[in-house]
Amino acid sequence: YLSFAVANSYDAPMLAAAQTVAKTNNSTIKVFDANNDPKKQFAQLQTATSSGDYDAIIVQPIFGTGLITGVQDAIAAGKKVVNMDQILGKDMSTDQPQVDGLSGNVVFVPTEIGTKLGKLVTQACQEQSLDPCKVGYLFDIKASALDVAIKKSFDEAIAGSPVKIVAQGESFFTPALGLKAAQNMLQAHSDMNLIVG
């Protein structure tokens, strides 16, 4: 199980569910913790593939395009590979597998999230008659392909509305850093109407 970050509360229920299913099916799971480091995760994938210790690999990509060749190598080596959570590929607008031979692909679609966030923010601003509606935007990791895709769809969804992004922050997928970023945005823009992330 190649976790993007075991300490992250978002990952905890997915890992717990995988461990429950494994135990129920007389299997064991070895957890590799990349701790939000894409290079480390790729190295862990190579280790899991080459060690001969594992029949299957569950990947939870930090940087999906960066794992493609490693996943292809694992499949070619006879490993069953399941992708979960994040997109394993370049197209952030589909939940369809982008690597041939995957045994499973359970993901969310980033562009759909961005569109939904944009619509909800626009709706909230309209319901409160806010024009302009001053919004703080909270990224997970601003430069990540995930956040780039979400933000692009968000921007498309708010186009033509009174929504104005007045502040930005990053959570790095951790509640404490998200809280700090939100506090910083509020200190810099006390007239902010809402925060989205």
Side-chain angles (χ1 to χ4, degrees), residues 58-135:
I58 300 170
V59 295
Q60 185 184 38
I62 298 166
F63 177 54
T65 54
L67 289 183
I68 293 173
T69 58
V71 167
Q72 290 169 330
D73 291 345
I75 293 168
K79 308 293 183 201
K80 300 291 185 188
V81 180
V82 172
N83 178 57
M84 64 172 262
D85 187 33
Q86 303 290 327
I87 301 293
L88 181 64
K90 294 178 181 178
D91 187 349
M92 296 288 178
S93 66
T94 181
D95 61 0
Q96 295 304 302
Q98 297 178 46
V99 176
D100 291 335
L102 284 177
S103 295
N105 188 54
V106 183
V107 298
F108 65 84
V109 181
T111 55
E112 290 178 7
I113 290 173
T115 299
K116 290 175 183 176
L117 286 173
K119 287 180 180 178
L120 287 170
V121 166
T122 302
Q123 178 183 341
C125 293
Q126 288 171 345
E127 288 175 359
Q128 297 298 314
S129 301
L130 302 172
D131 189 359
C133 185
K134 299 174 184 176
V135 175

Side-chain angles (χ1 to χ4, degrees), residues 8 18 47 56 109-110 121 132-134 146 155 158 186:
N8 189 288
T47 298
V109 181
V121 166
C133 185
K134 299 174 184 176
L146 167 69
D155 289 344
I158 65 168
L186 286 166

Side-chain angles (χ1 to χ4, degrees), residues 181-193:
Q183 290 169 334
N184 289 342
M185 287 190 288
L186 286 166
Q187 285 177 345
H189 299 276
S190 60
D191 61 340
M192 196 166 37
N193 301 114

